[in-house]
Amino acid sequence: MERFVKVLFVAAGLFYFGVLMVPPLIIHSFHPPSGFESALATTATASTIATVFSLPAAMLFTFYGLRRGVAAVLPAVTFSTAVPHTAIGLLLLPLFARIGIVDTFPAVVAAMVVVSTPIGVGTLATLFSQHNKNLDEFLQTLSLNDLSIIWLYLRSAPTTIASTVLLMWLRSFSELGAFLIVAVRPATVGVYLYETFLRLGSGPAVGVALLVAVLGLVFSTVLFLLARLAER
Amino acid sequence: MLTVRDVEIRRGRFRLYVERLEVGSHVVILGRNGSGKSTLLQTIAGFIKPVKGTIAVDGVEVTGLPPRLRNLGYIPQEPVRLPMTPQEALEYFGKVFGRDYRPLLEELGVAHLLGKRKISVGEGQLLALALVMLKDPAALLLDEPVGSLDYPNKLSFWTVLKKLRKPALIVTHDPLEAAYIADVLYVIEDGRLWGPHPNTMRELSMEALQNFNLYEKLGATGNPTP
């Protein structure tokens, strides 16, 4: 019976994957219109820069929220995960328009920071919660300041940090809703796909989507391997 | 010397009053569960703000200072699990405090911790004590430090602590431990700290601990390292 259940779950997983990937492979060919490489490079660069800013922000929010009694700030930082990201874009639009960065690279990076920080908070909350209050109190009385304590927590789980960085980077990479409002240019991968679909129809767009999905599969595998490494 | 004067602590309906507490030797506070022992220690350490009163370390008032600036060493009730090996921890905090940890380990008799990647709960408490001593604080605050330890490890911890002769405020609910370790005794009862009382029961407690050390008497291994 147990073997049957395992086979069933494997079949369900393959079916899920197959439904997404097989029909496009059969029906559509891969001929990406121009601009895909540029969109890919823009998105990867912006995601990297955004992660450099959003990771320390997530660390500080999580640490001070969970360990220094400022927990009330956490919903304020993470609410965007419960809101359509077109709404996030609309909320950012007045400020971006005022400072003149709509449809610019800085707007892409800034929007990425906004949407990826909550992901970092969510992942790091698990890490910081694992270390009990006693350890925190012990380290404080050993004259360590908060930054040193954060550093000690982080060095205890390098694979968790690697997973957090990758998740935040991927969240930035996959953003679309906010960009449609505040950063249509330079085109990111999501915007490029959407515009390709509107302009040229499903054929070319689906082919590129397949390629992006393969990239996603690679990153998911890396995340899975990091999680396995963390268990050891 | 650690002094606590006219301190009142309130947490919800709980109230604890300390008229005067002086820690210049091994001072043990005995109290039942829920009497406020840990709360008092956390207040002195700086994690809880008293409603009134003063806390001073070597004549310097520290009541308004954060824990890291009070020059006190604190070992909490639950064993501390550091996210590093003992060697890494000793090297890290040795650099923080600018001290060589090796002579201290020899003095405490815990040099065997070096080279171990995984340590037991008892060894973890000894390591915590060594790290606190690296800081060389004015006084130690120990919140039932052997509560989670087995009998041989308890004796080991107390033996090491006795060697140190550092002023220490220790809280426990175990009267036998209190009598074994204390120079001076206080009791928390009915929301108030009562004392000081000199410890006249030390000899009796040492005799009792030896008599009831069944690990030795029944030929069990695992005697504590001195």
Side-chain angles (χ1 to χ4, degrees), chain B residues 26-28 162 170 177-185 198-199 202:
Chain B
H26 287 171
V27 174
V28 173
K162 273 171 171 273
I170 305 140
E177 271 176 16
Y180 180 65
I181 197 69
D183 298 316
V184 175
L185 287 160
N199 180 15
R202 195 199 300 271

Side-chain angles (χ1 to χ4, degrees), chain A residues 6-219:
Chain A
K6 282 184 185 171
V7 168
L8 192 62
F9 270 107
V10 170
L14 289 173
F15 178 76
Y16 175 84
F17 184 76
V19 161
L20 284 174
M21 301 293 270
V22 171
L25 274 170
I26 294 170
I27 296 166
H28 295 283
S29 58
F30 176 63
H31 292 295
S34 65
F36 176 65
E37 295 88 352
S38 172
L40 194 59
T42 298
T43 316
T45 306
S47 299
T48 305
I49 297 171
T51 305
V52 167
F53 287 102
S54 56
L55 182 63
M59 283 180 194
L60 292 173
F61 278 129
T62 314
F63 179 77
Y64 281 93
L66 292 180
R67 288 276 175 250
R68 293 295 177 265
V70 199
V73 80
L74 292 179
V77 173
T78 57
F79 82 94
S80 61
T81 52
V83 174
H85 283 181
T86 40
I88 299 299
L90 287 164
L91 291 172
L92 289 173
L93 185 60
L95 173 65
F96 282 19
R98 174 71 108 160
I99 61 179
I101 64 167
V102 175
D103 287 342
T104 64
F105 187 76
V108 171
V109 173
M112 283 179 170
V113 170
V114 170
V115 302
S116 65
T117 300
I119 302 299
V121 169
T123 317
L124 291 172
T126 309
L127 171 62
F128 287 158
S129 299
Q130 280 170 2
H131 292 297
N132 59 28
K133 190 165 154 282
N134 288 338
L135 174 63
D136 193 36
E137 290 174 349
F138 179 68
L139 293 175
Q140 285 187 68
T141 55
L142 283 180
S143 305
L144 292 192
N145 59 31
D146 287 345
L147 287 180
S148 299
I149 294 174
I150 292 174
W151 169 242
L152 277 182
Y153 283 172
L154 295 178
R155 61 171 285 168
S156 73
T159 48
T160 303
I161 299 305
S163 295
T164 303
V165 169
L166 189 55
L167 275 169
M168 293 176 80
W169 191 93
L170 288 171
R171 185 60 200 85
S172 298
F173 190 91
S174 61
E175 178 55 32
L176 173 62
F179 295 154
L180 288 178
I181 307 295
V182 296
V184 173
R185 290 289 176 273
T188 55
V189 168
V191 171
Y192 170 85
L193 273 168
Y194 182 61
E195 289 183 338
T196 301
F197 172 69
L198 289 179
R199 241 178 342 113
L200 303 174
S202 64
V206 168
V208 179
L210 261 177
L211 183 62
V212 175
V214 169
L215 283 175
L217 182 61
V218 168
F219 287 125

Side-chain angles (χ1 to χ4, degrees), chain A residues 135 138 141-142, chain B residues 73-76 78-82 86 89-90 93 97 104-105 108 110 113 119-135 137 140 142 145 157 164:
Chain A
L135 174 63
F138 179 68
T141 55
L142 283 180
Chain B
Y74 172 67
I75 297 182
E78 264 192 54
V80 171
R81 293 221 172 262
L82 285 164
L90 288 161
F93 285 104
F97 300 127
L104 177 67
L105 294 187
L108 296 180
V110 294
L113 293 179
I119 54 178
S120 66
V121 172
E123 288 171 332
Q125 291 297 76
L126 288 172
L127 175 63
L129 185 60
L131 293 176
V132 165
M133 288 306 299
L134 263 182
K135 180 184 170 181
L140 304 177
L142 309 178
F157 188 91
L164 292 176

Side-chain angles (χ1 to χ4, degrees), chain B residues 188-210:
Chain B
I188 291 185
E189 194 83 24
D190 296 330
R192 194 185 172 103
L193 187 73
W194 305 95
H197 310 284
N199 180 15
T200 57
M201 309 286 281
R202 195 199 300 271
E203 298 295 326
L204 277 175
S205 70
M206 286 171 70
E207 195 181 323
L209 285 169
Q210 279 307 313

Side-chain angles (χ1 to χ4, degrees), chain B residues 78-100:
Chain B
E78 264 192 54
V80 171
R81 293 221 172 262
L82 285 164
M84 41 178 59
T85 65
Q87 175 127 17
E88 287 170 348
L90 288 161
E91 281 175 1
Y92 179 81
F93 285 104
K95 279 185 199 153
V96 168
F97 300 127
R99 290 187 64 189
D100 185 359

Side-chain angles (χ1 to χ4, degrees), chain B:
Chain B
M1 168 79 88
L2 166 67
T3 52
V4 179
R5 286 212 179 103
D6 195 35
V7 160
E8 183 177 335
I9 306 162
R10 282 188 190 271
R11 300 204 90 186
R13 289 189 183 176
F14 173 79
R15 180 186 174 274
L16 177 63
Y17 179 67
V18 176
E19 186 179 348
R20 190 181 178 96
L21 168 64
E22 289 187 347
V23 182
S25 58
H26 287 171
V27 174
V28 173
I29 295 180
L30 194 59
R32 302 168 201 259
N33 290 341
S35 57
K37 306 184 297 295
S38 299
T39 301
L40 175 58
L41 231 54
Q42 293 210 316
T43 304
I44 296 170
F47 298 111
I48 298 173
K49 194 175 167 188
V51 170
K52 65 169 186 172
T54 58
I55 300 163
V57 177
D58 288 342
V60 176
E61 188 178 337
V62 299
T63 323
L65 295 182
R68 66 185 187 91
L69 297 179
R70 293 194 178 202
N71 196 23
L72 295 169
Y74 172 67
I75 297 182
Q77 189 170 11
E78 264 192 54
V80 171
R81 293 221 172 262
L82 285 164
M84 41 178 59
T85 65
Q87 175 127 17
E88 287 170 348
L90 288 161
E91 281 175 1
Y92 179 81
F93 285 104
K95 279 185 199 153
V96 168
F97 300 127
R99 290 187 64 189
D100 185 359
Y101 58 85
R102 290 180 197 84
L104 177 67
L105 294 187
E106 293 296 334
E107 186 189 338
L108 296 180
V110 294
H112 64 283
L113 293 179
L114 290 175
K116 282 197 171 194
R117 292 199 68 82
K118 288 195 176 178
I119 54 178
S120 66
V121 172
E123 288 171 332
Q125 291 297 76
L126 288 172
L127 175 63
L129 185 60
L131 293 176
V132 165
M133 288 306 299
L134 263 182
K135 180 184 170 181
D136 195 21
L140 304 177
L141 305 172
L142 309 178
D143 190 351
E144 298 193 58
V146 299
S148 304
L149 305 189
D150 58 32
Y151 192 82
N153 278 311
K154 281 189 191 188
L155 285 187
S156 180
F157 188 91
W158 291 135
T159 305
V160 169
L161 184 67
K162 273 171 171 273
K163 276 189 198 176
L164 292 176
R165 300 314 307 165
K166 171 78 71 176
L169 179 61
I170 305 140
V171 301
T172 182
H173 59 265
D174 188 330
L176 189 58
E177 271 176 16
Y180 180 65
I181 197 69
D183 298 316
V184 175
L185 287 160
Y186 287 80
V187 176
I188 291 185
E189 194 83 24
D190 296 330
R192 194 185 172 103
L193 187 73
W194 305 95
H197 310 284
N199 180 15
T200 57
M201 309 286 281
R202 195 199 300 271
E203 298 295 326
L204 277 175
S205 70
M206 286 171 70
E207 195 181 323
L209 285 169
Q210 279 307 313
N211 285 341
F212 286 100
N213 189 351
L214 299 182
Y215 288 88
E216 275 187 10
K217 289 185 182 299
L218 299 181
T221 57
N223 277 338
T225 51

